[in-house]
Amino acid sequence: MAKSVLVLNGPNLNMLGLREPQIYGTDTLAHIEALVAEEAERLGLAVECRQSNHEGQLIDWIQQAHGEHHGIIINPGAYSHTSLAIHDALKAVGLPVLEVHLSNIFKREAFRHHSYVSLVAVGVICGLGATGYRLALQALNEKL
Ligand code: DQA
């Protein structure tokens, strides 16, 4: 049976395309999810993509991934820098996690330089836009 990956996007990522295009580019989330689906098919992975602006919803999906998915790719948006609860949920389910950021968070404001999620991630990809999600799928595929 195909290994399954959950791809989560956090707050404000539903605004991609419109949101600060000089930082995040002009790709919409729908376009990124289509790229993810294409890459997953190429790799023989099953994939489920979800987005929420709500921390608790993201935590519910992370918890539900236990027994349903084999790995998680997450762009937690601003929750990366604030959410100990998302950190704890990812740690609790114990699945391999790849963290993705469209922008290079280290070239930006100091408050974006720390991520609670990085502490529980196998790896972090940032600054490569939509390509980061494709690379994360490839990396996770090698881990699974
Ligand atoms: C982001 C970077 C975060 O600092 C920011 O809050 C986001 C998007 C990125 O993909 O570059 O919402 O995660």
Side-chain angles (χ1 to χ4, degrees):
M1 214 180 69
K3 301 271 182 181
S4 176
V5 175
L6 178 64
V7 178
L8 291 179
N9 280 289
N12 298 309
L13 293 165
N14 56 317
M15 298 294 283
L16 290 175
L18 211 93
R19 179 189 181 195
E20 300 181 87
Q22 70 285 4
I23 294 176
Y24 298 113
T26 51
D27 286 342
T28 62
L29 185 59
H31 177 75
I32 290 174
E33 289 182 347
L35 284 182
V36 164
E38 220 173 79
E39 186 66 12
E41 195 180 337
R42 195 182 71 78
L43 294 168
L45 292 170
V47 76
E48 188 177 330
C49 294
R50 294 181 174 217
Q51 186 276 332
S52 177
N53 293 322
H54 304 279
E55 188 176 18
Q57 177 65 85
L58 292 163
I59 290 166
D60 286 345
W61 286 336
I62 290 166
Q63 291 181 3
Q64 288 158 15
H66 178 74
E68 288 233 348
H69 298 285
H70 299 89
I72 298 176
I73 293 172
I74 182 166
N75 181 346
Y79 287 143
S80 319
H81 320 300
T82 62
S83 182
L84 189 49
I86 289 179
H87 164 107
D88 283 353
L90 289 168
K91 210 168 173 182
V93 295
L95 295 172
V97 175
L98 258 290
E99 179 182 358
V100 174
H101 299 282
L102 292 154
S103 65
N104 181 351
I105 55 175
F106 300 104
K107 251 166 84 174
R108 300 182 64 194
E109 304 95 322
F111 59 77
R112 295 185 203 275
H113 296 178
H114 176 265
S115 164
Y116 285 100
V117 170
S118 301
L119 299 169
V120 292
V122 173
V124 183
I125 299 171
C126 76
L128 300 178
T131 301
Y133 291 83
R134 270 204 302 117
L135 296 177
L137 266 179
Q138 290 170 19
L140 201 49
N141 188 42
E142 286 185 17
K143 288 263 158 223
L144 298 179

